[in-house]
Amino acid sequence: MSKDNLIERFNKEIIKVNGECFVFKNIDDSITQIQSFIEKEKIKKILINDKNEISRSIYVNLKRTTDLIIQAVSEINIKNKDIKEELKDVDLGISYANFLVADTGSVVLTSSEDEPRLLSLLPEFNIVLSTSNQIIEKLEDAIDVIKTEKSVTVITGPSRTADIEKVLITGVHGPKKLIVFIFDK
Amino acid sequence: MNELDTKYFKKLVKEKLSDKSLRTIVKKATFHSLQKRNETIQNDISEKWEQLREKAYSIRKITIENWDYYFNQIKAKFSENGIDFFYAKNSSEVCDIVNNLLFSYKAKNIVKSKSMVTEEVGLNEYLEKFGFIVTETDLGEYIIQLANERPSHITAPALHKSRSEIGFLFSEKLNIDYTDAPEKLTDYARQILRKKFLNADVGISGANFLVAETGTIVIVENEGNARLTITLPKLHIVITSIEKIVPTLSDALILLRLLPVSSTGQKITSYVSFINKPEEEDNSSKNLKKIVVILLDNGRSKLISDKKLRSILYCIKCGACMNKCPVYQLIGGHAYGSVYPGPIGSILTPWLNSFKDSKDLAYGSSLCGACSEICPVKIDIHYQLLRIRKYSIEKKFSPFIEKIIFKIWLQIVKNYKIYNLLSNILCFLGPLFQETGLKIPVWSKYKYFPAPFEFSFHKWWQREVKTQEEYANV
Amino acid sequence: MKISLFIPCIVDQFAPQTAISTFKVLRKLGCDVDYPFEQTCCGQPAFNTGYHHEAKICAERFLKIFSKSNYIVAPSGSCVAMVKNFYEELDLSKETLSIYQYLKNNIFEFSDFLVNILKIENINAQFNAKVTYHDSCHLLRELKISNEPRKLIQNIKGIELINLNESDTCCGFGGTFSVKFPELSAAMTEEKVNNIEKSGADYVIANDVSCLLNIQGILKKRNSRIKILHIAELLALGM
Ligand code: SF4
């Protein structure tokens, strides 16, 4: 599958599971998107995995342009703080994906110091950053990573339940919304 | 706690049959799942479903046939990965192991994500006796826990409850204003459970697959409660049963393509966690969290060694057989009185619990085979029902009168002359009952029972086609 | 083509018309039909209740009686499935096992035989009625027959085959089940009959007399105008 096909497929699948996906050519466009999201959802505190070039510059950019509380995971690490405590009132977590899976519209995250498992779990909203090079066709293509990492989480859409009369509700214990940003130069 | 005993199956069936609102809810819910399943299989699965089933079947078959091998492999892998492992022969062993762990961790607050095996073990009741505070965190399980009931379905525990019932339950137990809006109810639960999570000392979960090759624990879920259960507390206990092993990670991924589709019609669930090794407790310390895996046997290894019965353990607990079962659709899960309801429950329970008390489950089926047809791992469920019936007769658990009837019956059908004589008498009398039908005890209360026709086919043949010329003239 | 008729006991006594129709249709299609007179029951009632010892005696008797048959045809999916598939579960003696290995490939349900062996989908019959079709469980799931009867029905002139909602859901008979769990069995049949009534058909067609009689059990209780009809009778009617 070509890169464009992969993006298209991923987009199609993530919409089916109530997720969202945006494709950006550059960081600035994504900042505008995040800003309007912050406004719409009345976000007050953000925590971001900043270990990567893209996420770092988003972090720096956001820090400059908004007056919300924005923290980077690396800072917390330096300060030796407990992630759990830190995440208590964060309402938007920004993660960085290892892979995106086109076949199912899934995000593959490995846990690490930079990507603590709770970052994509505790906050009400989760934005996942990624580049178009990271899209794989099927989950099977990530099998080596799944084998070698301490733990891997495959996320497909927001947290959901249908335990009450099969009515679909998103955002039970995990995020209400899952938005994937794909950077495609 | 509701009376949970398979002994009462027949009685409960009647009781549940008269509950029309239950029937409406169960039908609606099971139909919903089936419809989504069928749509997904049709539109969203690129491979042929039957081929996938075939693959899944052979994975499960190989695993169970070589269970000893994979069991040893996974034990070694767990220890290599720093995961503690226990094999528990029965329920009380599981309880003891957990109890000891909780004491050594000075734990008080326990969060649990869905695990049918802990239901089998009766873990919650046990732990509560010792003063531990156990909270179920899957929304369906939480509802059930508040209501002090048992799950009525293996993947949708509160399937039998209407939104208004849940509304009243929440308002009574949680002291909130009544609402029957699922979003609001879910939101209340989220808030309460979030606090529980943040204060939890220990998390207990089930597991969907345990990968022998890598020692990976695979947990499938939609809400995120399992992720919280395994991430927040410093001790994570996995409790499941011995057949959950699969040989390789790619085997697990194949099964993963069938499991959510069969359960809820999802191609994949919102979350799939693959856990290989414990993580650091938090980023400030080098302490590792602890993961303990407990595998319950409870009679399963006996099933594994029985060539005809072992396919029961191929089950990946998807719940499709109950959704599809016309009996389950009418009576819901509680009627069975077993931890595992529906077709899979009816073939598993008699071998795990008292056979005598639960053999009736196997008779509560028309043997239509809808369960076997939908089962993603191709378990011959209706054949297994028949095997339980056979064993039940061998063990002489059948009613005396039934035994006599079949003895007489055999004498008749063994000899076609006697058979024909009796059949001619019956047919001769038949027309007398043409209007009213035969009066058969109980049956005739519900259905007209036909009378024999005025002559049998044997008779007709004898009359019309005895000779070659006659044959030509018919 | 030489054929041995296998007429299940319930058909023998309760619905000989079905057997006669089966015979007539096969005759008309040029088959040389014979009826091994010693046959009684295939053993299914005992088998389904768990009485394997008794079932085995019936099975071995059945196999011996039909051991010389070329083709065995029966107007029942359930009894054919019993012989073809479920005999495997009985601990057959060496002698009868070899007959079984041979016979299991030569025993056919009526519509299966017509469509797949005789290659006949249209028997040039006519019948003006609205009918609906119920899939009998063992015919559908053990023998995988679902298109064959539908083709045969659709090719009858003047007939309108109406789709039956949940046509593949069990009618609730299940032999011993309907005796041990009469309420449950009846509730299933009620659901089936609700769907049949909703279809608006005048006749409900099936390939198994046991399902039809069971369905009729509720139809009669309700004084319904809908009639049951075995596929063999339907085909013979319009011939
Ligand atoms: S028996 Fe088959 S259909 Fe039923 S729960 Fe197990 S895997 Fe699913």
Side-chain angles (χ1 to χ4, degrees), chain A residues 16 77 81 103 111 120 122 140 146 149-152 154-156 159-161 163 165 172-174, chain B residues 33 44 137 140 162-163 190 194 222-223 225 227 232 257 267 270 272 274 276-277 279-280 283:
Chain A
K16 281 192 208 158
N77 282 342
K81 274 197 191 155
D103 178 44
S111 74
S120 59
L122 281 181
E140 276 76 359
I146 300 176
E149 294 289 328
K150 273 189 177 147
S151 77
V152 172
V154 179
I155 301 176
T156 312
S159 149
R160 59 149 80 193
T161 186
D163 275 346
E165 285 191 16
V172 197
H173 295 289
Chain B
S33 301
D44 286 333
T137 61
S162 69
R163 64 180 79 188
R190 173 189 169 111
R194 180 56 66 91
N222 276 314
E223 296 182 1
N225 65 310
R227 287 182 70 198
L232 282 169
R257 271 187 273 161
K267 214 163 148 182
S270 302
V272 182
F274 296 89
N276 291 317
K277 289 177 186 161
E279 312 249 345
E280 286 82 22
N283 55 328

Side-chain angles (χ1 to χ4, degrees), chain C residues 45 108 182:
Chain C
F108 296 90

Side-chain angles (χ1 to χ4, degrees), chain A residues 106-123:
Chain A
S106 311
V107 172
V108 180
L109 296 177
T110 60
S111 74
S112 63
E113 263 180 41
D114 318 312
E115 184 63 45
R117 289 193 279 184
L118 293 172
L119 179 60
S120 59
L121 183 56
L122 281 181

